[in-house]
Amino acid sequence: MRSPLIVRKFFLLPLLMLVCCATLAQAAPGRWETDLTGSGWKLWLDREAKWTGDDIYLPPVDLSGVPVNPPTGGWNRLESTWDREVEIPGTVEGYMWGHNGNPLGIAGDWRGVSWWTKSFRLNPELKGKKVFIYIESVNLRAEVFVNRKLVGYDVVGNTPFEVDATDAVNFGGENVLSIRVTDPLGNFDWNDNEMYRWGRHMIPGVHGFGGVTGRVRVRAVDDVRVDDIYVQNKPNPKEAEVFVTLGNSSGAAKKGKLTLVVHEWKNPAAVVFKKEVSATVPAGGGQVAVKVRAPKARLWEIKDPHLYVAKVTFTTGDKAAVDSTEKRFGFRFFTVGTKNGDPRFYLNGKRVFIFAAMTRGFWAIHGMCPTPELARRDVEMTLYMGFNMMLFHRAIGQNIVMEVCDERGVLTYEEPGGYRCMPAPDETAKILRREKLRRMVIRDRNYPSLVIYNLKNEARELPDGDDEANMRMMYELDPSRICTYNSDRNRTIDAVAPRLERDPIKLHYLPFDPAFRYFGWWDHHHWNPQAGYMDYYYRNPNYYLRYTIADHDSLPRVPTDEIIFWGEEGAFGTPVRLQKIKEEAERKGVEGWREAESIDWFRSYDRFLDESGFRSSFPSVDALTLALGKNMHYFHGRILENIRMSNFADAYNLNGWASAATHTDIVDIFRNPTGDPAILQYYSQPLYVAVKLRAKVLPKGGRSIADIYLINEKGLKGSHTLELALADPVGKTIFTKSLPATVLGGEEFGQPLAADIALPGLDTPGYYTLSARLSDASGVKASGHDEIFVADCTTVSGQGLAGRGAVIDTTGAINAFLQEARGITLPAFDPDGPDLDYIIVGPHNPRTLGTVYRAVMDRVSNGARLVVLDQADRWAQNMDGLYNFQSIQYWGSMSWGNSGRFFVGKSPFLTGLPVSQAMGWEYQNFYEDKVWGLHMSRVGTEVIVGLAAQHRGEILNGLVRVPFARGQVFLSTLELLDELRSERPQSAVGKRLFLNLLEVMPGK
């Protein structure tokens, strides 16, 4: 480009005039770009590099004061050797997990320095332009070298930064870009609250991966250039304001013309707006704003997205500088509105209910950054399972995922991750988190999918001046979105106390309203202690889960004068899709983050299926893991239904989505659904009849009551007829009812249709289905169904309770049940008494075991059946004693809480009960409280109830039969004793199982 110095020499030196003219002809005005993302990179681990005591330099960074850290051994060593050729985005952990020989857990992590290197060329005609290198994301510290010269430094991490490489590049030759990445700290779980020490500094929380985790581009531009485009959406969704940031490194103000063209994405001919304005760019740069009205534009909607491109061209008056670039966006507006005193979400003027998936930023292969294939799979699965929002939780969102959300019509919500900084941020942490937040907003404010920013998750500390200043900064950068200070309610106050009119934890602002609000946003998190659905989650139309604040009768109903955002629901997981992961790893080779561990886990499950005989119930490992995932998927479906039919909540955020490598949720890190997707697809339908049963598990002869609701996001309205039909286990209709129903439609997304429908007594064991149809004169408009399971505790199974028995039970609960169920009372076990046919062990003093064990096992040797319902671990330990009637190999017990999954195969001891499934709602009482199992050898045992967990390769025993001489021993960790004491109808299943253990003859 012509500079004042060149112009003076033009008149003085004719020879130089020819040279300069040639240069000007080559350096034609305009932008040149190249994308270095993808293949062609070389990765080298600098194992000898020193970094643990490094100082760090905060933005803005003056490179003159930054020490230069060349590769250990010199530049020639870096350029002549590398560990492997790689692609970016990528991480060391994705390419070299388990580099130290241990891939288990997080032992295979890399801490330290890695070099990422790639060459690129610049044509000689580009000489005279400014050359910038844009790096979308690095974790954590990046030192950027071009041709061995330090040109950039960044320690913010995970956000874009750009470096000026003009003075280091070769025009007309090869250039070597080397990014020195330091991975000094971080975790591999969800916690972003803690700060981590790096030398004398404390760094905000971040995941513990190291690499170039975003795209890299090189651009050559004139001195006057377009640096950024921000398309600001307006309340009228077909209006916008385009803010163009122009850079100017010429040293003087420049006048010119700015042209804005808005056209359909992928269709430049479909222009909906065009305008040219005169502008002067001050020395150092400036901003130009252009208001857009596009009445013919099509709106960006959920699952119906229409995208547009804002193309900006700036040309200086002397035509010496020209730059043109573009930004994709959508015409839309998302905000909070109020109807009948109830605040609600609105997109383009229409009410929206949010069903969100909560991702923590974990991915297969590279851990914290997705491949393009995984990004697409992530969003496709979100839609396929019925969600309409992806919530980036405790970790900043990835650009390529948000871009796909834009393209597919999925809303997004974003937290920067690492903002909370507990116990309190020092000045370094404040600067780092503020800059990360600033970059995040600038990076993401053009995504039409993005509608809500949030700073902290589950904060207990009230916002301080720094938090408020940061929120004001966010508003200035992007006033068009909602911003909240915290996700979750104020847990420092009593939930049942009168609500505060000004609660600082609720601090938020709304689009185009800079006023801080301290009321109007109710976000409440729930961590479910049970690993599945319970009948008491729906009791009646006045009490059901999420119709009240919590799970207790004493708590009041949720307020209807605030946005109700159920911010985390569930918090229990399920095993990953081990077989799918194995098959994918076999196609591409096992190398990614914790993949080898998953393969080993698969082999453990596969051996179990063969050794236990469960393969007849679960033909493959995939069949087993899908069955284990059903509980979680079903729970979320039913609670989502509760929330939608109540019609006052505004969002359900499901906890969670691919939360880690082995601890997972609705999908695993490969984005494989962990249960049948049809479950959530059913409960996320926009229109169906919700059939709610007050008891889904009954004893023989029991009765249930049904209430019927309509889920209606399709605007159905008017007079209809509701028809109900109850089918018995063989499909015969045994009950019908027809009722008139007036459908309200509009914004009434949930509506009760009928209540207190008494169903007849159910005498046949098995499954019953209550179906509902809503019809008008033109036919069926909506339908739905629910199931009941009936267990028979009255009919004697097998041989019945024959022979002589005894009991060890200090509570009397066993005899009380047997008297009621079979009309018998057993004597206490007498070590000096006769041989027995069965012995039942209930609650007892642990010391009793030492005095009666040998006598009990002597009776078992002679043919007795021993059923141990209490302290099964102590009995198992004794059964492994070398001189104590050894009969098993026992390695201990494990308690897994709501991480555990009981499951059953086929067994005569399950007569009259569901088989070949994870213990679902039919067995709900067994996962209500303690979930634990016995770790034993498979040799010589029969597993009746297995126990799996979301993070372990072992399969434990919840109920196991051990043949012993002429008798057998049943060891149970199931809470069968509670079932015997219970009068709840759901206990019929446990009672039936207990009776089977006594009355059914074992197989040979």
Side-chain angles (χ1 to χ4, degrees):
M1 176 179 171
R2 204 188 312 237
S3 71
L5 178 62
I6 291 176
V7 173
R8 288 193 294 273
K9 289 183 177 180
F10 178 85
F11 291 105
L12 297 173
L13 300 171
L15 179 62
L16 285 178
M17 178 186 71
L18 297 176
V19 175
C20 290
C21 288
T23 302
L24 288 170
Q26 292 170 344
R31 172 184 294 234
W32 174 90
E33 286 187 307
T34 187
D35 192 345
L36 302 184
T37 309
S39 60
W41 290 80
K42 294 172 181 175
L43 169 63
W44 179 61
L45 302 188
D46 196 342
R47 294 168 173 83
E48 301 165 34
K50 306 299 182 184
W51 55 273
T52 55
D54 283 0
D55 207 344
I56 66 172
Y57 298 87
L58 303 175
V61 177
D62 179 1
L63 287 181
S64 65
V66 175
V68 177
N69 296 307
T72 304
W75 286 101
N76 290 335
R77 180 181 181 186
L78 173 66
E79 293 165 5
S80 63
T81 185
W82 56 86
D83 286 297
R84 60 176 297 171
E85 293 186 355
V86 297
E87 297 182 1
I88 66 162
T91 62
V92 175
E93 288 76 9
Y95 288 116
M96 302 184 69
W97 184 257
H99 63 97
N100 57 4
N102 184 2
L104 186 66
I106 63 170
D109 181 31
W110 168 254
R111 284 280 183 98
V113 172
S114 59
W115 289 84
W116 303 70
T117 304
K118 186 174 183 176
S119 298
F120 65 95
R121 297 185 67 85
L122 293 173
N123 292 332
E125 60 266 25
L126 295 174
K127 190 170 184 179
K129 292 184 181 292
K130 302 286 291 183
V131 178
F132 295 94
I133 298 174
Y134 172 88
I135 300 175
E136 195 172 69
S137 175
V138 167
N139 196 50
L140 180 64
R141 180 177 66 180
E143 295 162 276
V144 184
F145 294 83
V146 173
N147 300 327
R148 305 184 177 184
K149 180 178 180 179
L150 181 67
V151 296
Y153 176 101
D154 185 71
V155 76
V156 177
N158 300 291
T159 51
F161 64 98
E162 193 167 60
V163 301
D164 186 344
T166 307
D167 294 338
V169 298
N170 296 319
F171 292 96
E174 185 178 52
N175 296 274
V176 179
L177 170 62
S178 303
I179 305 176
R180 184 181 190 262
V181 176
T182 307
D183 172 12
L185 44 82
N187 63 37
F188 295 89
D189 58 35
W190 54 267
N191 191 349
D192 74 323
N193 296 333
E194 296 176 352
M195 292 189 290
Y196 300 101
R197 181 169 295 283
W198 180 5
R200 65 184 182 88
H201 300 284
M202 296 300 292
I203 306 299
V206 69
H207 290 326
F209 302 89
V212 181
T213 54
R215 294 168 289 202
V216 175
R217 294 191 292 270
V218 179
R219 64 175 178 140
V221 292
D222 299 327
D223 282 342
V224 182
R225 59 198 175 270
V226 180
D227 281 340
D228 186 52
I229 301 172
Y230 163 40
V231 183
Q232 186 181 97
N233 295 107
K234 298 296 183 180
N236 179 343
K238 293 193 177 184
E239 295 180 357
E241 190 164 9
V242 179
F243 295 88
V244 182
T245 301
L246 298 166
N248 182 359
S249 51
S250 69
K254 294 291 183 179
K255 293 182 179 181
K257 296 286 187 182
L258 185 145
T259 302
L260 169 65
V261 177
V262 178
H263 63 77
E264 291 181 1
W265 180 48
K266 295 186 176 180
N267 188 7
V271 174
V272 297
F273 181 85
K274 183 176 182 179
K275 189 170 185 178
E276 184 179 273
V277 298
S278 298
T280 298
V281 187
Q287 190 177 81
V288 177
V290 180
K291 293 183 178 180
V292 175
R293 289 187 178 182
K296 294 183 179 180
R298 303 175 69 185
L299 298 181
W300 189 95
E301 304 275 7
I302 296 171
K303 301 180 185 178
D304 184 27
H306 296 278
L307 293 170
Y308 288 82
V309 170
K311 182 175 181 179
V312 174
T313 301
F314 184 82
T315 306
T316 56
D318 58 6
K319 304 295 194 296
V322 176
D323 195 20
S324 183
T325 190
E326 59 188 36
K327 189 73 72 172
R328 197 176 68 176
F329 73 101
F331 286 98
R332 66 105 185 100
F333 192 69
F334 184 91
T335 191
V336 172
T338 301
K339 183 172 182 179
N340 300 325
D342 179 17
R344 298 171 174 182
F345 289 129
Y346 290 87
L347 175 64
N348 302 329
K350 295 179 289 187
R351 187 188 179 192
V352 172
F353 174 82
I354 289 175
F355 179 31
M358 188 181 81
T359 182
R360 296 178 175 91
F362 286 107
W363 299 87
I365 306 172
H366 293 297
M368 73 181 304
C369 59
T371 63
E373 177 189 359
L374 281 171
R376 289 190 296 271
R377 191 186 300 177
D378 185 62
V379 180
E380 293 295 333
M381 192 54 63
T382 303
L383 286 167
Y384 184 64
M385 298 181 72
F387 297 90
N388 61 13
M389 174 181 273
M390 178 58 68
L391 190 149
F392 297 103
H393 171 75
R394 291 184 178 264
I396 192 170
Q398 293 88 4
N399 289 81
I400 61 174
V401 179
M402 300 179 85
E403 288 164 8
V404 182
C405 287
D406 284 354
E407 294 164 15
R408 296 307 312 275
V410 176
L411 297 172
T412 57
Y413 166 123
E414 186 171 34
E415 298 170 3
Y419 182 88
R420 190 173 174 191
C421 298
M422 293 175 64
D426 60 10
E427 193 57 33
T428 296
K430 287 181 179 180
I431 293 171
L432 287 172
R433 73 178 187 179
R434 182 181 305 121
E435 178 64 12
K436 183 179 182 182
L437 194 63
R438 187 189 72 84
R439 293 183 189 180
M440 181 190 81
V441 174
I442 294 173
R443 185 195 76 170
D444 298 340
R445 60 189 178 181
N446 285 297
Y447 292 129
S449 61
L450 179 61
V451 295
I452 300 172
Y453 300 116
N454 179 62
L455 266 64
K456 297 182 180 181
N457 184 72
E458 296 171 4
R460 302 297 176 263
E461 61 277 5
L462 302 183
D464 60 18
D466 192 61
D467 296 315
E468 293 176 347
N470 288 337
M471 290 183 69
R472 291 190 182 96
M473 174 193 71
M474 295 172 71
Y475 184 85
E476 291 172 1
L477 293 171
D478 178 13
S480 69
R481 286 176 171 83
I482 298 167
C483 180
T484 55
Y485 165 73
N486 185 50
S487 174
D488 195 24
R489 68 174 176 84
N490 189 342
R491 292 182 180 267
T492 64
I493 61 173
D494 187 350
V496 301
R499 290 183 301 136
L500 301 177
E501 293 183 2
R502 187 183 187 280
D503 184 351
I505 289 290
K506 294 180 180 180
L507 171 63
H508 66 285
Y509 62 76
L510 300 179
F512 298 109
D513 183 356
F516 281 171
R517 298 167 181 257
Y518 300 92
F519 183 85
W521 192 278
W522 176 275
D523 186 332
H524 193 172
H525 294 186
H526 300 93
W527 307 284
N528 205 62
Q530 290 82 35
Y533 184 77
M534 309 293 294
D535 274 359
Y536 55 73
Y537 292 164
Y538 180 83
R539 297 185 184 179
N540 57 60
N542 295 316
Y543 180 82
Y544 51 88
L545 200 64
R546 303 305 166 255
Y547 190 63
T548 54
I549 291 176
D551 309 339
H552 310 291
D553 291 320
S554 62
L555 297 182
R557 237 191 80 177
V558 173
T560 58
D561 53 354
E562 298 186 274
I563 284 289
I564 306 303
F565 203 108
W566 297 127
E568 284 189 34
E569 291 292 326
F572 64 98
T574 191
V576 300
R577 293 285 291 281
L578 296 168
Q579 186 166 336
K580 299 281 284 186
I581 293 173
K582 169 184 172 290
E583 291 167 353
E584 187 155 348
E586 287 174 343
R587 289 194 297 271
K588 66 175 184 60
V590 180
E591 61 181 12
W593 175 52
R594 298 188 76 172
E595 286 182 18
E597 186 177 349
S598 294
I599 303 305
D600 186 63
W601 190 2
F602 164 84
R603 291 170 180 155
S604 175
Y605 273 34
D606 203 42
R607 286 192 302 271
F608 167 80
L609 292 178
D610 286 329
E611 295 170 356
S612 65
F614 270 63
R615 198 173 291 278
S616 63
S617 293
F618 306 103
S620 65
V621 171
D622 201 48
L624 175 58
T625 55
L626 273 174
L628 294 172
K630 182 178 180 180
N631 269 21
M632 182 177 57
H633 286 243
Y634 185 77
F635 164 84
H636 281 295
R638 297 316 301 259
I639 306 311
L640 173 64
E641 181 177 71
N642 281 8
I643 290 169
R644 296 178 73 195
M645 71 196 196
S646 69
N647 196 46
F648 65 82
D650 303 289
Y652 181 99
N653 177 35
L654 189 155
N655 182 357
W657 184 270
S659 60
T662 62
H663 175 114
T664 199
D665 303 291
I666 290 293
V667 299
D668 62 29
I669 58 172
F670 281 89
R671 275 45 184 182
N672 301 307
T674 53
D676 185 352
I679 298 171
L680 277 179
Q681 287 171 348
Y682 176 85
Y683 292 107
S684 62
Q685 294 177 86
L687 177 64
Y688 76 97
V689 180
V691 178
K692 305 299 287 189
L693 293 160
R694 300 186 190 180
K696 285 172 57 60
V697 182
L698 296 171
K700 179 181 177 181
R703 298 171 181 267
S704 189
I705 296 174
D707 305 305
I708 312 298
Y709 300 79
L710 181 64
I711 307 297
N712 181 15
E713 295 183 24
K714 299 289 283 186
L716 183 70
K717 63 186 303 183
S719 298
H720 292 75
T721 299
L722 176 65
E723 297 174 295
L724 304 177
L726 180 66
D728 70 7
V730 297
K732 179 182 177 182
T733 299
I734 60 172
F735 170 85
T736 61
K737 193 175 185 67
S738 181
L739 298 164
T742 300
V743 178
L744 301 176
E747 293 189 11
E748 301 305 306
F749 286 0
Q751 174 189 345
L753 296 179
D756 299 309
I757 298 172
L759 301 179
L762 307 179
D763 294 323
T764 303
Y767 287 97
Y768 293 74
T769 302
L770 179 61
S771 300
R773 299 192 309 175
L774 190 67
S775 307
D776 63 11
S778 64
V780 177
K781 298 301 182 183
S783 61
H785 62 272
D786 199 2
E787 289 184 305
I788 298 172
F789 180 76
V790 173
D792 180 7
C793 301
T794 59
T795 303
V796 173
S797 58
Q799 66 179 5
L801 196 57
R804 180 180 296 169
V807 65
I808 299 173
D809 179 12
T810 57
T811 66
I814 295 172
N815 266 330
F817 170 73
L818 289 175
Q819 180 61 43
E820 179 183 358
R822 293 294 184 263
I824 63 172
T825 299
L826 300 178
F829 176 74
D830 181 0
D832 299 321
D835 281 344
L836 298 166
D837 295 290
Y838 57 93
I839 306 166
I840 308 169
V841 178
H844 59 283
N845 189 318
R847 296 180 180 178
T848 303
L849 184 59
T851 62
V852 303
Y853 177 75
R854 294 186 64 85
V856 169
M857 296 308 292
D858 185 62
R859 305 304 193 278
V860 174
S861 297
N862 291 339
R865 182 182 311 206
L866 174 64
V867 179
V868 179
L869 304 183
D870 185 62
Q871 301 178 46
D873 50 343
R874 293 178 179 271
W875 285 84
Q877 186 173 355
N878 273 270
M879 292 172 68
D880 193 19
L882 182 61
Y883 305 107
N884 240 359
F885 296 88
Q886 184 183 18
S887 52
I888 60 173
Q889 289 182 323
Y890 173 66
W891 300 302
S893 65
M894 299 182 190
S895 180
W896 284 341
N898 68 1
S899 298
R901 289 289 184 281
F902 288 125
F903 62 97
V904 293
K906 299 172 183 175
S907 169
F909 300 104
L910 298 171
T911 298
L913 298 173
V915 298
S916 301
Q917 62 162 253
M919 283 187 163
W921 55 266
E922 303 93 329
Y923 291 97
Q924 59 187 264
N925 288 1
F926 290 141
Y927 53 70
E928 182 176 12
D929 294 311
K930 188 177 180 181
V931 176
W932 64 293
L934 308 175
H935 191 194
M936 300 165 51
S937 168
R938 305 274 170 244
V939 177
T941 66
E942 175 191 349
V943 181
I944 302 169
V945 178
L947 176 60
Q950 59 188 336
H951 57 294
R952 301 297 293 262
E954 304 95 335
I955 299 288
L956 307 184
N957 295 315
L959 177 60
V960 60
R961 184 180 76 91
V962 183
F964 189 94
R966 295 181 60 198
Q968 57 262 315
V969 178
F970 293 87
L971 298 173
S972 173
T973 68
L974 306 174
E975 298 298 314
L976 283 168
L977 284 165
D978 289 343
E979 300 304 277
L980 301 187
R981 301 185 186 104
S982 176
E983 296 183 0
R984 292 189 295 177
Q986 296 80 11
S987 67
V989 168
K991 293 170 181 175
R992 173 73 272 170
L993 178 57
F994 171 70
L995 291 169
N996 285 347
L997 299 181
L998 298 174
E999 297 177 344
V1000 173
M1001 289 296 294
K1004 300 297 183 182

